[in-house]
Amino acid sequence: MPIDILDPNVENSIEEEIRHQDTMCVNESEIEHRWYDNLKYMVIGLAFGVVFVKAEIISWFRIQEMFRFQSFHMYGVIGSAVVVGMLSVLLIRRFNIKTIEGETIVIASKTFNKGQIYGGLLFGFGWAITGACPGPLFAQIGNGASVVLVTLLSAIAGTWVYGYFREKLPH
Amino acid sequence: MLEFLRNPWPWYVAGPLIGLTIPALLLVGNKSFGISSSLRHICAACLPANIPFFHYNWRKELWNLFFVAGILVGAVLATALLANPDPVVVHPNLAADLAQYGITDFSKLMPIQVVNWSSLFTLRGFLMIIVGGFLIGFGTRYAGGCTSGHAIMGLSTLQWPSLVATCCFMLAGILMANFVLPFLLAL
C-alpha cells in the first residue's frame, strides 16, 4: 500500500525517522518551547567551553600527545567523563528521575551500521590533523584562532556533502 | 584560588565536569549530549536543497545551536579572564619532533605557525585546515556522532555501536598522527 503522506501521523513518523537518522542528540522533549528557553543550553555550553579551554582539551598539542601515547591527560579526561556520565545515567534510571519539567527521561538507542566504521575512521583522520572534534572547533575560534572558522565551514560543507551522497554510501 | 583557575586544569577536574554535562542536559530538557549534529542543523537551516537528510524540523533542535554558541562564548570568556600566561607544556619528544617541521611556538593552544590565515593558501595549510575540517564534518555525520555523542554519551549509556565508532576514531587518529601527519607537516 502506498504511504499517504497527507496523513499527519504518517508524515510525523517520516519526519521522526529522518530526524533520528545518524544522530544521537535528538530532542526527546515533547514540550513546546519558546526560543529563549534555549538560553539554558547556552549556559551549559558556556561552562563546557570554559572547561575545554582551561583543561587544554582544544589544544592541537594535547591531541597529538594523546595519539602518540605521550600523555595520559586526554585519556583521563575522556575516561573520567564516561565514568561520571555512566553513574549519572545509572542514577537517573534507577530512581526514575524526571526532568525539571516533569518529563520522563528518554535516551534513544543507537543501531549499528557500517557507517560507524567508515565514518569513524574518516573522522579519526580529521581529528588528528586538526586537533579538534566538532565541539573544540567552536572553542578554538573562541580561544582566538580565527582561521579555524574556515575549518568549521569546511566541516559544515563535509556534513552537507555526506547528506548529498548519503543514499549512495555503504551503511 | 585565581592562581589555580589560571593554571591548566588537571584531567580529574575537567573529565568529571564534562561527564556532568550528560545529566545536566537530560535533566534540564531531556536532551542527549552530542555536538556534531549542530553541523547538520546548520545545513538544514541554511542550505537544505532537495536533500531529504536535511528536511526535518531543525527548529526543534535549536537548543543544540544555543549549546555550541555557549561553547564559543565560554571559550572567549576563559581566554579573556582566566588565560594561562605561560606557554603550553608539551612533551619533550613531541616538541623535538615538531621542531623539525618548524613548529616551535607553544604560546597558544594551536600551532600558530601552521594554522594561520596566510598558511591557508599553502598546500600544508590547505590540507590541515580545509581537508581536515571536511573530514570532521563528513566523518562524524557518516559515523552518526563524534567524541561527545559516541565516545562520551554513547559509552555512558552502554551502546556498543558507539564503542565500535570510538575504536575507529582512535585507530584512525593513531595512524594519522604517527604515520601520515609527519608527511603533511613536512610539506
Side-chain angles (χ1 to χ4, degrees):
Chain A
M1 201 183 112
I3 299 169
D4 179 8
I5 52 164
L6 294 175
D7 175 351
N9 289 327
V10 173
E11 203 174 357
N12 272 345
S13 69
I14 292 173
E15 153 89 24
E16 203 67 5
E17 199 187 313
I18 292 174
R19 211 158 59 80
H20 278 70
Q21 274 169 1
D22 306 322
T23 174
M24 299 207 73
C25 73
V26 285
N27 179 357
E28 297 297 345
S29 176
E30 296 294 326
I31 301 172
E32 291 290 323
H33 290 93
R34 282 185 240 274
W35 71 268
Y36 50 79
D37 283 318
N38 287 313
L39 289 173
K40 294 177 292 207
Y41 304 104
M42 197 164 173
V43 174
I44 301 174
L46 200 138
F48 200 72
V50 172
V51 176
F52 264 179
V53 170
K54 287 313 302 171
E56 300 183 338
I57 293 160
I58 61 163
S59 171
W60 185 86
F61 301 110
R62 290 282 161 274
I63 302 302
Q64 298 309 317
E65 285 175 347
M66 167 176 74
F67 286 136
R68 290 164 178 240
F69 305 107
Q70 290 165 332
S71 157
F72 177 73
H73 186 75
M74 286 303 301
Y75 295 100
V77 167
I78 298 174
S80 58
V82 170
V83 170
V84 169
M86 212 181 270
L87 287 173
S88 315
V89 173
L90 207 70
L91 289 173
I92 286 173
R93 284 185 171 154
R94 175 74 182 76
F95 296 103
N96 194 19
I97 300 172
K98 305 268 196 272
T99 70
I100 52 172
E101 288 162 329
E103 277 191 317
T104 301
I105 288 175
V106 182
I107 298 168
S109 59
K110 194 71 191 157
T111 45
F112 176 75
N113 69 62
K114 290 194 263 338
Q116 279 134 15
I117 297 172
Y118 304 134
L121 292 172
L122 292 173
F123 164 55
F125 293 140
W127 189 10
I129 294 174
T130 60
C133 7
L137 285 180
F138 293 94
Q140 286 177 349
I141 296 168
N143 185 237
S146 55
V147 71
V148 176
L149 192 63
V150 178
T151 316
L152 177 63
L153 290 174
S154 188
I156 294 169
T159 301
W160 193 89
V161 171
Y162 167 73
Y164 188 83
F165 289 111
R166 185 171 193 281
E167 312 298 329
K168 298 190 179 70
L169 294 167
H171 278 91
Chain B
M1 185 64 186
L2 196 62
E3 185 63 25
F4 175 78
L5 289 177
R6 280 185 187 278
N7 284 329
W9 297 0
W11 63 265
Y12 49 83
V13 172
L17 285 174
I18 290 176
L20 286 176
T21 310
I22 292 178
L25 290 173
L26 286 173
L27 294 174
V28 161
N30 228 347
K31 307 292 189 274
S32 285
F33 177 47
I35 296 177
S36 62
S37 304
S38 64
L39 305 175
R40 182 182 174 193
H41 304 325
I42 293 170
C43 290
C46 301
L47 201 66
N50 273 330
I51 303 167
F53 190 64
F54 298 126
H55 282 271
Y56 59 96
N57 182 12
W58 57 270
R59 284 184 184 81
K60 203 172 176 204
E61 318 296 332
L62 209 54
W63 71 273
N64 201 243
L65 298 177
F66 274 80
F67 182 67
V68 294
I71 294 177
L72 198 146
V73 176
V76 170
L77 290 179
T79 306
L81 304 175
L82 296 171
N84 173 20
D86 301 323
V88 180
V89 180
V90 173
H91 191 280
N93 292 354
L94 180 63
D97 208 28
L98 292 178
Q100 297 173 51
Y101 311 110
I103 300 172
T104 48
D105 187 341
F106 303 137
S107 64
K108 297 276 188 269
L109 292 174
M110 294 299 284
I112 49 177
Q113 289 150 316
V114 180
V115 181
N116 60 56
W117 285 100
S118 51
S119 78
L120 196 55
F121 303 100
T122 64
L123 181 60
R124 177 165 86 167
F126 173 79
L127 290 171
M128 291 191 60
I129 298 167
I130 296 181
V131 176
F134 188 90
L135 287 170
I136 296 176
F138 189 93
T140 52
R141 203 69 275 121
Y142 198 174
C146 59
T147 330
S148 52
H150 272 314
I152 297 179
M153 184 69 192
L155 294 185
S156 292
T157 51
L158 309 174
Q159 314 222 31
W160 70 269
S162 291
L163 182 63
V164 173
T166 305
C167 290
C168 292
F169 301 163
M170 293 306 297
L171 176 68
I174 290 164
L175 292 176
M176 174 56 73
N178 290 284
F179 304 111
V180 185
L181 196 59
F183 292 100
L184 298 186
L185 290 172
L187 287 172

